[in-house]
Amino acid sequence: MHLAFSYVSVLLLTLTATLFCEALRPYVSPVNMVMVYLVAVVLSSLWLGQKQAILTALLGVLAFDFFFVPPRLTFSVADKEYLITFFGLFGVGVIISALVAKVQDRAEKLKAREAETASLYRLSKDLAVAADLQAVVISIVKNVEVSMDARAVLFLADGDRLHVADNSSGLNVDTECEKVALWSFRSLRPAGSGTSTFPLSEMLFIPLQVLETPLGVLGIHFNTERNTRFEQLRRLLEAFGTQSALALERIRLSQQAEHAQLLKARERLGRALLNSVSHDLRTPLVTITGVLSTIRDEEHQLSEKVRKDLVDTAWEEAGRLNRFVGNLLDMTRLEAGELKLKLETCDVQDLVGCALASVEHRLGARIVDVQLPSDLLLARMDLVLMTQVLVNLIDNALKYSPFESHVEIASYADNKHLTIEVADRGPGIPDHDLTRIFDKFYRISVPEGAGGTGLGLSICKGIVEAHGGRIYAENRRGGGLKFVVQLSQEGGQDA
Ligand code: ADP
């Protein structure tokens, strides 16, 4: 409130009290009029301030003396007891004004504290849900704008330099600003407006740090009363700085952890590849070398049958080697996005026929039940690649199910999908692995398990998805596993 106006108000209050007392004069004794002046003092301290209240008490004493204490309209006092009344009125006036000022001050502080708590709560809530660096940066700037009636710029550390991560619209961040921010960053002390360093700067800069590690600097441009605000807001600013720094540190650590995990996963993948490549290349090679050396060294001692068995074994192993290298190459092509489909309209009968023909020599006495509808089942596909999918699935079924059990192949279509199923009566797989088996190099180790690379199913998935279809596995009732391949029929059913 304007100072002159407040003193005029003091005069008016005293005048009103005096007029009121004048109206009461016929009915009350002068001593009781003191109460009216006390009310004026209370109102003055509530509305105008402490100093003004003391002045009201003083003027009250004078007016009371002049107008109501006999002899009236003089300052002389006939009855000296009135002196006690004067001191009482003035003393109580001073005490009341001090008490009211104290209560008001406390209420104001409480209100400010409440506002601080609310704005810190808002900030921590926003920061807690911010999932990445960008979101954290945006919520810091937004909260400064809202809570402090200010515009803000957030600098983040880049080695020992700073770069602007975000700033309020319309805030000009010039080289002078950057200089002060850099000073604050390097010395880990607030700088700029309202501090002793660079006090002429338009903005206040506070370093964001966790322990001794500087993470950035927050620059604040107060929209009003800029120079006095630093001290008032010191506690809030420090809390803002700490919360923001902690959020930035959390993001930095989680990025680091993610990076470390990625490296670890890559390392694991590399190791798995190396293990499987060395194992799967060496096993057939050792067998083939063994067979060849036996045939070379003991050619004349070997009976015709033994020689044939040896050659069959070597042939089988060479086939395995070939499939393995083929799988590796396919995987590389799939990953490089070089797999080009040669789509043609094919009958599923041909597809199953081709697949069975290529696993024939591994079938031995195993029984494969094939259930296909009598009509043509046509779909657009790359026959060679889809045959490979089926071969991999049949291979797995043979590999993981008991020798005497049947492997079942079925296919059917509705107007949307062509479905092909390969099912066995093996051990099935734990439910939580049903999707993971399609990951590269993912294998479930079984004690008596057959060798493998963990590549087959991921290649199947790659090929089926390249066709726009999907592949999944499910455990069968009564035991065993079923793989389902679904190809979309859209535009594919051209006979
Ligand atoms: P590989 O057979 O070379 O290990 P795959 O990618 O073909 O690699 O299979 C991944 C894993 O899925 C296998 O290690 C195996 O544990 C499991 N699996 C695949 N097919 C079957 C099946 N028909 N029955 C049980 N488990 C299977």
mmCIF file of all heavy atoms in Angstrom, residues 392-393 396-401 424 426-429 437-439 442-446 450-458 481 483, ligand 1:
data_model
loop_
_atom_site.group_PDB
_atom_site.id
_atom_site.type_symbol
_atom_site.label_atom_id
_atom_site.label_comp_id
_atom_site.label_asym_id
_atom_site.label_seq_id
_atom_site.Cartn_x
_atom_site.Cartn_y
_atom_site.Cartn_z
ATOM 1 N N ASN A 392 12.503 -77.230 -41.102
ATOM 2 C CA ASN A 392 12.987 -76.933 -39.744
ATOM 3 C C ASN A 392 12.004 -77.430 -38.699
ATOM 4 O O ASN A 392 12.400 -77.995 -37.681
ATOM 5 C CB ASN A 392 13.182 -75.422 -39.559
ATOM 6 C CG ASN A 392 14.501 -74.953 -40.149
ATOM 7 O OD1 ASN A 392 15.338 -75.762 -40.536
ATOM 8 N ND2 ASN A 392 14.686 -73.650 -40.244
ATOM 9 N N LEU A 393 10.703 -77.208 -38.949
ATOM 10 C CA LEU A 393 9.699 -77.614 -37.957
ATOM 11 C C LEU A 393 9.634 -79.139 -37.851
ATOM 12 O O LEU A 393 9.564 -79.696 -36.750
ATOM 13 C CB LEU A 393 8.323 -77.047 -38.318
ATOM 14 C CG LEU A 393 8.214 -75.508 -38.302
ATOM 15 C CD1 LEU A 393 6.790 -75.062 -38.628
ATOM 16 C CD2 LEU A 393 8.626 -74.951 -36.936
ATOM 17 N N ASN A 396 12.690 -80.433 -36.017
ATOM 18 C CA ASN A 396 12.558 -80.282 -34.565
ATOM 19 C C ASN A 396 11.640 -81.348 -33.999
ATOM 20 O O ASN A 396 11.930 -81.935 -32.960
ATOM 21 C CB ASN A 396 11.994 -78.902 -34.205
ATOM 22 C CG ASN A 396 13.080 -77.845 -34.192
ATOM 23 O OD1 ASN A 396 14.254 -78.170 -34.347
ATOM 24 N ND2 ASN A 396 12.697 -76.599 -34.021
ATOM 25 N N ALA A 397 10.514 -81.559 -34.680
ATOM 26 C CA ALA A 397 9.559 -82.556 -34.184
ATOM 27 C C ALA A 397 10.242 -83.925 -34.091
ATOM 28 O O ALA A 397 10.064 -84.655 -33.121
ATOM 29 C CB ALA A 397 8.352 -82.604 -35.099
ATOM 30 N N LEU A 398 11.036 -84.243 -35.108
ATOM 31 C CA LEU A 398 11.729 -85.544 -35.103
ATOM 32 C C LEU A 398 12.770 -85.575 -33.976
ATOM 33 O O LEU A 398 12.940 -86.573 -33.290
ATOM 34 C CB LEU A 398 12.432 -85.776 -36.442
ATOM 35 C CG LEU A 398 11.518 -85.930 -37.659
ATOM 36 C CD1 LEU A 398 12.350 -86.001 -38.945
ATOM 37 C CD2 LEU A 398 10.648 -87.167 -37.528
ATOM 38 N N LYS A 399 13.446 -84.440 -33.836
ATOM 39 C CA LYS A 399 14.565 -84.376 -32.899
ATOM 40 C C LYS A 399 14.090 -84.464 -31.452
ATOM 41 O O LYS A 399 14.723 -85.096 -30.624
ATOM 42 C CB LYS A 399 15.276 -83.024 -33.109
ATOM 43 C CG LYS A 399 16.749 -83.042 -32.875
ATOM 44 C CD LYS A 399 17.464 -81.885 -33.546
ATOM 45 C CE LYS A 399 17.012 -80.518 -33.158
ATOM 46 N NZ LYS A 399 17.876 -79.445 -33.665
ATOM 47 N N TYR A 400 12.962 -83.803 -31.159
ATOM 48 C CA TYR A 400 12.581 -83.670 -29.751
ATOM 49 C C TYR A 400 11.476 -84.629 -29.309
ATOM 50 O O TYR A 400 11.002 -84.527 -28.179
ATOM 51 C CB TYR A 400 12.144 -82.233 -29.465
ATOM 52 C CG TYR A 400 13.280 -81.242 -29.639
ATOM 53 C CD1 TYR A 400 13.317 -80.367 -30.724
ATOM 54 C CD2 TYR A 400 14.353 -81.212 -28.737
ATOM 55 C CE1 TYR A 400 14.362 -79.472 -30.894
ATOM 56 C CE2 TYR A 400 15.401 -80.322 -28.907
ATOM 57 C CZ TYR A 400 15.393 -79.458 -29.985
ATOM 58 O OH TYR A 400 16.437 -78.583 -30.147
ATOM 59 N N SER A 401 11.006 -85.544 -30.196
ATOM 60 C CA SER A 401 9.930 -86.439 -29.742
ATOM 61 C C SER A 401 10.421 -87.884 -29.789
ATOM 62 O O SER A 401 11.371 -88.211 -30.513
ATOM 63 C CB SER A 401 8.688 -86.246 -30.617
ATOM 64 O OG SER A 401 8.983 -86.613 -31.939
ATOM 65 N N ASP A 424 3.926 -82.655 -32.521
ATOM 66 C CA ASP A 424 4.612 -83.897 -32.104
ATOM 67 C C ASP A 424 4.144 -84.284 -30.710
ATOM 68 O O ASP A 424 3.363 -83.570 -30.078
ATOM 69 C CB ASP A 424 6.128 -83.682 -32.141
ATOM 70 C CG ASP A 424 6.589 -82.632 -31.170
ATOM 71 O OD1 ASP A 424 6.255 -82.735 -29.972
ATOM 72 O OD2 ASP A 424 7.268 -81.659 -31.597
ATOM 73 N N GLY A 426 6.361 -84.890 -28.201
ATOM 74 C CA GLY A 426 7.576 -84.770 -27.381
ATOM 75 C C GLY A 426 7.265 -84.153 -26.024
ATOM 76 O O GLY A 426 6.101 -84.126 -25.605
ATOM 77 N N PRO A 427 8.268 -83.612 -25.366
ATOM 78 C CA PRO A 427 8.059 -83.086 -24.001
ATOM 79 C C PRO A 427 7.349 -81.734 -23.964
ATOM 80 O O PRO A 427 6.979 -81.272 -22.900
ATOM 81 C CB PRO A 427 9.491 -82.935 -23.487
ATOM 82 C CG PRO A 427 10.310 -82.715 -24.714
ATOM 83 C CD PRO A 427 9.662 -83.485 -25.810
ATOM 84 N N GLY A 428 7.168 -81.099 -25.136
ATOM 85 C CA GLY A 428 6.617 -79.744 -25.113
ATOM 86 C C GLY A 428 7.649 -78.803 -24.504
ATOM 87 O O GLY A 428 8.803 -79.198 -24.275
ATOM 88 N N ILE A 429 7.243 -77.577 -24.234
ATOM 89 C CA ILE A 429 8.180 -76.640 -23.595
ATOM 90 C C ILE A 429 7.439 -75.819 -22.540
ATOM 91 O O ILE A 429 6.239 -75.624 -22.647
ATOM 92 C CB ILE A 429 8.870 -75.700 -24.602
ATOM 93 C CG1 ILE A 429 7.842 -75.049 -25.508
ATOM 94 C CG2 ILE A 429 9.923 -76.367 -25.392
ATOM 95 C CD1 ILE A 429 8.475 -74.062 -26.435
ATOM 96 N N ILE A 437 11.479 -69.195 -27.661
ATOM 97 C CA ILE A 437 12.194 -70.145 -28.525
ATOM 98 C C ILE A 437 12.395 -69.599 -29.939
ATOM 99 O O ILE A 437 13.224 -70.105 -30.681
ATOM 100 C CB ILE A 437 11.477 -71.526 -28.613
ATOM 101 C CG1 ILE A 437 10.016 -71.326 -28.939
ATOM 102 C CG2 ILE A 437 11.686 -72.331 -27.352
ATOM 103 C CD1 ILE A 437 9.310 -72.627 -29.289
ATOM 104 N N PHE A 438 11.646 -68.527 -30.268
ATOM 105 C CA PHE A 438 11.832 -67.940 -31.605
ATOM 106 C C PHE A 438 12.965 -66.906 -31.621
ATOM 107 O O PHE A 438 13.267 -66.339 -32.655
ATOM 108 C CB PHE A 438 10.528 -67.285 -32.083
ATOM 109 C CG PHE A 438 9.432 -68.283 -32.321
ATOM 110 C CD1 PHE A 438 8.464 -68.522 -31.361
ATOM 111 C CD2 PHE A 438 9.390 -69.030 -33.496
ATOM 112 C CE1 PHE A 438 7.468 -69.456 -31.565
ATOM 113 C CE2 PHE A 438 8.392 -69.972 -33.716
ATOM 114 C CZ PHE A 438 7.422 -70.189 -32.741
ATOM 115 N N ASP A 439 13.546 -66.672 -30.440
ATOM 116 C CA ASP A 439 14.676 -65.733 -30.389
ATOM 117 C C ASP A 439 15.926 -66.421 -30.930
ATOM 118 O O ASP A 439 16.083 -67.639 -30.795
ATOM 119 C CB ASP A 439 14.956 -65.293 -28.944
ATOM 120 C CG ASP A 439 13.855 -64.401 -28.427
ATOM 121 O OD1 ASP A 439 13.012 -63.986 -29.248
ATOM 122 O OD2 ASP A 439 13.823 -64.164 -27.210
ATOM 123 N N TYR A 442 18.314 -68.953 -28.900
ATOM 124 C CA TYR A 442 17.666 -69.363 -27.655
ATOM 125 C C TYR A 442 17.415 -70.857 -27.696
ATOM 126 O O TYR A 442 16.763 -71.365 -28.595
ATOM 127 C CB TYR A 442 16.348 -68.608 -27.457
ATOM 128 C CG TYR A 442 15.803 -68.820 -26.068
ATOM 129 C CD1 TYR A 442 16.324 -68.105 -25.001
ATOM 130 C CD2 TYR A 442 14.819 -69.773 -25.810
ATOM 131 C CE1 TYR A 442 15.866 -68.312 -23.707
ATOM 132 C CE2 TYR A 442 14.354 -69.982 -24.522
ATOM 133 C CZ TYR A 442 14.882 -69.247 -23.477
ATOM 134 O OH TYR A 442 14.440 -69.468 -22.200
ATOM 135 N N ARG A 443 17.961 -71.565 -26.723
ATOM 136 C CA ARG A 443 17.769 -73.004 -26.658
ATOM 137 C C ARG A 443 17.347 -73.363 -25.247
ATOM 138 O O ARG A 443 17.727 -72.709 -24.288
ATOM 139 C CB ARG A 443 19.068 -73.751 -26.963
ATOM 140 C CG ARG A 443 19.681 -73.411 -28.304
ATOM 141 C CD ARG A 443 20.588 -74.534 -28.768
ATOM 142 N NE ARG A 443 19.823 -75.718 -29.070
ATOM 143 C CZ ARG A 443 20.169 -76.942 -28.686
ATOM 144 N NH1 ARG A 443 21.250 -77.130 -27.966
ATOM 145 N NH2 ARG A 443 19.419 -77.981 -28.987
ATOM 146 N N ILE A 444 16.556 -74.416 -25.143
ATOM 147 C CA ILE A 444 16.234 -74.895 -23.807
ATOM 148 C C ILE A 444 17.115 -76.120 -23.611
ATOM 149 O O ILE A 444 17.048 -77.077 -24.393
ATOM 150 C CB ILE A 444 14.757 -75.300 -23.710
ATOM 151 C CG1 ILE A 444 13.893 -74.101 -24.093
ATOM 152 C CG2 ILE A 444 14.427 -75.809 -22.340
ATOM 153 C CD1 ILE A 444 12.468 -74.454 -24.344
ATOM 154 N N SER A 445 17.950 -76.045 -22.579
ATOM 155 C CA SER A 445 18.861 -77.186 -22.446
ATOM 156 C C SER A 445 18.126 -78.334 -21.758
ATOM 157 O O SER A 445 17.496 -78.160 -20.719
ATOM 158 C CB SER A 445 20.099 -76.792 -21.654
ATOM 159 O OG SER A 445 19.696 -76.017 -20.567
ATOM 160 N N VAL A 446 18.154 -79.463 -22.397
ATOM 161 C CA VAL A 446 17.612 -80.690 -21.788
ATOM 162 C C VAL A 446 18.798 -81.639 -21.643
ATOM 163 O O VAL A 446 19.634 -81.710 -22.548
ATOM 164 C CB VAL A 446 16.509 -81.321 -22.664
ATOM 165 C CG1 VAL A 446 15.159 -80.767 -22.306
ATOM 166 C CG2 VAL A 446 16.786 -81.116 -24.130
ATOM 167 N N ALA A 450 19.158 -83.127 -27.880
ATOM 168 C CA ALA A 450 19.863 -83.212 -29.148
ATOM 169 C C ALA A 450 20.614 -81.898 -29.382
ATOM 170 O O ALA A 450 20.240 -80.861 -28.848
ATOM 171 C CB ALA A 450 18.840 -83.430 -30.248
ATOM 172 N N GLY A 451 21.645 -81.977 -30.185
ATOM 173 C CA GLY A 451 22.430 -80.761 -30.481
ATOM 174 C C GLY A 451 21.638 -79.821 -31.361
ATOM 175 O O GLY A 451 20.701 -80.219 -32.039
ATOM 176 N N GLY A 452 21.992 -78.570 -31.364
ATOM 177 C CA GLY A 452 21.286 -77.603 -32.205
ATOM 178 C C GLY A 452 21.922 -76.255 -32.013
ATOM 179 O O GLY A 452 22.843 -76.098 -31.209
ATOM 180 N N THR A 453 21.420 -75.294 -32.749
ATOM 181 C CA THR A 453 22.055 -73.979 -32.688
ATOM 182 C C THR A 453 21.139 -72.909 -32.112
ATOM 183 O O THR A 453 21.578 -71.823 -31.789
ATOM 184 C CB THR A 453 22.414 -73.521 -34.110
ATOM 185 O OG1 THR A 453 21.194 -73.520 -34.855
ATOM 186 C CG2 THR A 453 23.404 -74.434 -34.749
ATOM 187 N N GLY A 454 19.845 -73.230 -32.010
ATOM 188 C CA GLY A 454 18.919 -72.195 -31.557
ATOM 189 C C GLY A 454 18.621 -71.196 -32.665
ATOM 190 O O GLY A 454 18.098 -70.118 -32.411
ATOM 191 N N LEU A 455 18.965 -71.565 -33.910
ATOM 192 C CA LEU A 455 18.734 -70.635 -35.027
ATOM 193 C C LEU A 455 17.489 -70.985 -35.833
ATOM 194 O O LEU A 455 16.846 -70.119 -36.404
ATOM 195 C CB LEU A 455 19.929 -70.670 -35.979
ATOM 196 C CG LEU A 455 21.124 -69.785 -35.653
ATOM 197 C CD1 LEU A 455 22.207 -69.975 -36.679
ATOM 198 C CD2 LEU A 455 20.698 -68.333 -35.597
ATOM 199 N N GLY A 456 17.163 -72.311 -35.853
ATOM 200 C CA GLY A 456 16.114 -72.806 -36.746
ATOM 201 C C GLY A 456 14.829 -72.022 -36.634
ATOM 202 O O GLY A 456 14.288 -71.532 -37.636
ATOM 203 N N LEU A 457 14.303 -71.899 -35.391
ATOM 204 C CA LEU A 457 12.999 -71.261 -35.238
ATOM 205 C C LEU A 457 13.047 -69.764 -35.527
ATOM 206 O O LEU A 457 12.079 -69.198 -36.033
ATOM 207 C CB LEU A 457 12.452 -71.510 -33.826
ATOM 208 C CG LEU A 457 12.021 -72.948 -33.548
ATOM 209 C CD1 LEU A 457 11.535 -73.106 -32.123
ATOM 210 C CD2 LEU A 457 10.929 -73.382 -34.527
ATOM 211 N N SER A 458 14.196 -69.136 -35.202
ATOM 212 C CA SER A 458 14.250 -67.694 -35.493
ATOM 213 C C SER A 458 14.247 -67.468 -37.004
ATOM 214 O O SER A 458 13.682 -66.479 -37.495
ATOM 215 C CB SER A 458 15.454 -67.030 -34.823
ATOM 216 O OG SER A 458 16.622 -67.681 -35.173
ATOM 217 N N LEU A 481 4.203 -80.701 -28.622
ATOM 218 C CA LEU A 481 4.221 -79.296 -29.026
ATOM 219 C C LEU A 481 3.626 -79.165 -30.422
ATOM 220 O O LEU A 481 3.760 -80.069 -31.250
ATOM 221 C CB LEU A 481 5.682 -78.814 -29.038
ATOM 222 C CG LEU A 481 5.907 -77.322 -29.131
ATOM 223 C CD1 LEU A 481 5.450 -76.638 -27.855
ATOM 224 C CD2 LEU A 481 7.391 -77.025 -29.343
ATOM 225 N N PHE A 483 3.437 -76.442 -33.661
ATOM 226 C CA PHE A 483 3.788 -75.162 -34.281
ATOM 227 C C PHE A 483 2.702 -74.804 -35.284
ATOM 228 O O PHE A 483 2.258 -75.661 -36.055
ATOM 229 C CB PHE A 483 5.130 -75.264 -35.015
ATOM 230 C CG PHE A 483 6.290 -75.243 -34.069
ATOM 231 C CD1 PHE A 483 6.904 -76.418 -33.673
ATOM 232 C CD2 PHE A 483 6.747 -74.052 -33.541
ATOM 233 C CE1 PHE A 483 7.961 -76.399 -32.788
ATOM 234 C CE2 PHE A 483 7.799 -74.023 -32.654
ATOM 235 C CZ PHE A 483 8.415 -75.201 -32.279
HETATM 236 P P1 ADP B 1 17.682 -75.882 -32.203
HETATM 237 O O1 ADP B 1 16.672 -76.910 -32.420
HETATM 238 O O2 ADP B 1 18.758 -75.853 -33.210
HETATM 239 O O3 ADP B 1 18.199 -75.823 -30.808
HETATM 240 P P2 ADP B 1 15.540 -74.077 -32.732
HETATM 241 O O4 ADP B 1 15.499 -72.604 -32.927
HETATM 242 O O5 ADP B 1 15.008 -74.918 -33.826
HETATM 243 O O6 ADP B 1 17.012 -74.463 -32.386
HETATM 244 O O7 ADP B 1 14.745 -74.396 -31.408
HETATM 245 C C1 ADP B 1 14.933 -73.650 -30.238
HETATM 246 C C2 ADP B 1 14.579 -74.446 -29.007
HETATM 247 O O8 ADP B 1 13.176 -74.733 -29.013
HETATM 248 C C3 ADP B 1 15.230 -75.793 -28.965
HETATM 249 O O9 ADP B 1 16.451 -75.713 -28.247
HETATM 250 C C4 ADP B 1 14.256 -76.646 -28.228
HETATM 251 O O10 ADP B 1 14.540 -76.648 -26.847
HETATM 252 C C5 ADP B 1 12.919 -76.009 -28.435
HETATM 253 N N1 ADP B 1 12.109 -76.780 -29.389
HETATM 254 C C6 ADP B 1 11.994 -76.528 -30.709
HETATM 255 N N2 ADP B 1 11.151 -77.426 -31.271
HETATM 256 C C7 ADP B 1 10.701 -78.217 -30.276
HETATM 257 C C8 ADP B 1 9.803 -79.331 -30.210
HETATM 258 N N3 ADP B 1 9.171 -79.768 -31.310
HETATM 259 N N4 ADP B 1 9.596 -79.889 -28.992
HETATM 260 C C9 ADP B 1 10.201 -79.417 -27.897
HETATM 261 N N5 ADP B 1 11.057 -78.388 -27.873
HETATM 262 C C10 ADP B 1 11.314 -77.792 -29.059
#
